[in-house]
Amino acid sequence: MRLGSWNIGTLTDKLRELVDVFVRRKMNIVCLQETKWAGEKAKEVDGTGFKLWYTGINKSQNGVGIMIDKSLRDKVVDIKRKGDRFILIKLVVGDLILNILSVYAPQVGLQSIDKSQFWEDLEEVLRGIPRKENIFLGGDLNGHVVKSNGGFDIIHGDFGYGTRNETGEDILNVALAYF
């Protein structure tokens, strides 16, 4: 099973192009951010076998989705959406229970109350997943964790760039608490 995550910028007029990329890269599940599609719906991608579940409030900002290929889409047992920044899909594949979570954090420049609310909502979603179940969190968390693990060696693989910012610290603390 191959999973990925992509901030697409907008899904408008890109759906077939995306599927072509996912097929070439042999992706089964892809979390999408900044879809800029409104509604809480699911959409079959004509003739491809892929299905997209999405949530968004308006067509000019935010929105998240999860696209799943034909080999796994019938394994979906639950879907939860929260505003235009969270979508969670639960799959059962044999003995494996996998929760796929696509998230889109507020960007730099937004009010700190929006950012705080995002992190509170993320923790609420994560607390709702039983510990025995697997989680794949794909998203644009709009933070920098830097290359050095800086005391987070249990959850940080020494990948990253830039200077760790406050959001990067939040990312690492959530990962430490829930993974």
Side-chain angles (χ1 to χ4, degrees):
M1 184 181 317
R2 291 179 57 127
L3 299 96
S5 184
W6 191 353
N7 181 323
I8 194 61
T10 182
L11 265 178
T12 305
D13 300 325
K14 289 186 178 179
L15 202 49
R16 292 296 299 228
E17 179 185 338
L18 280 176
V19 168
D20 290 343
V21 170
F22 300 155
V23 168
R24 278 196 315 274
R25 294 182 181 216
K26 299 179 180 160
M27 304 300 291
N28 304 101
I29 301 170
V30 181
C31 296
L32 300 169
Q33 301 82 45
E34 211 172 349
T35 60
K36 298 182 182 174
W37 279 13
E40 294 184 347
K41 300 179 182 173
K43 177 177 178 51
E44 302 278 341
V45 185
D46 297 332
T48 67
F50 279 86
K51 187 170 184 176
L52 169 68
W53 288 264
Y54 64 94
T55 185
I57 294 173
N58 66 55
K59 294 182 179 183
S60 65
Q61 64 183 18
N62 305 339
V64 290
I66 299 173
M67 190 178 299
I68 301 178
D69 76 3
K70 64 183 173 187
S71 72
L72 295 172
R73 65 187 225 171
D74 292 334
K75 311 291 185 193
V76 172
V77 296
D78 194 19
I79 301 152
K80 293 183 176 140
R81 298 169 172 97
K82 187 167 181 77
D84 59 355
R85 295 193 180 273
F86 298 90
I87 187 167
L88 173 73
I89 292 182
K90 181 181 288 201
L91 294 105
V92 177
V93 183
D95 293 337
L96 175 70
I97 299 173
L98 180 58
N99 293 274
I100 310 295
L101 179 59
S102 182
V103 302
Y104 181 48
Q107 307 87 317
V108 172
L110 288 181
Q111 294 182 5
S112 61
I113 191 151
D114 294 328
K115 294 177 183 181
S116 295
Q117 187 63 56
F118 171 84
W119 291 103
E120 288 174 24
D121 290 346
L122 178 57
E123 289 199 49
E124 178 185 326
V125 170
L126 290 170
R127 278 193 307 269
I129 300 171
R131 284 271 193 201
K132 65 182 187 222
E133 296 180 6
N134 297 288
I135 300 171
F136 175 82
L137 189 149
D140 183 347
L141 296 170
N142 282 305
H144 297 282
V145 297
V146 304
K147 184 174 169 89
S148 170
N149 66 39
F152 291 95
D153 53 320
I154 193 165
I155 49 99
H156 189 300
D158 286 335
F159 298 100
Y161 64 92
T163 303
R164 182 171 297 149
N165 60 12
E166 184 179 339
T167 303
E169 194 79 19
D170 291 338
I171 292 167
L172 293 168
N173 283 320
V174 167
L176 193 59
Y178 293 96
F179 297 97

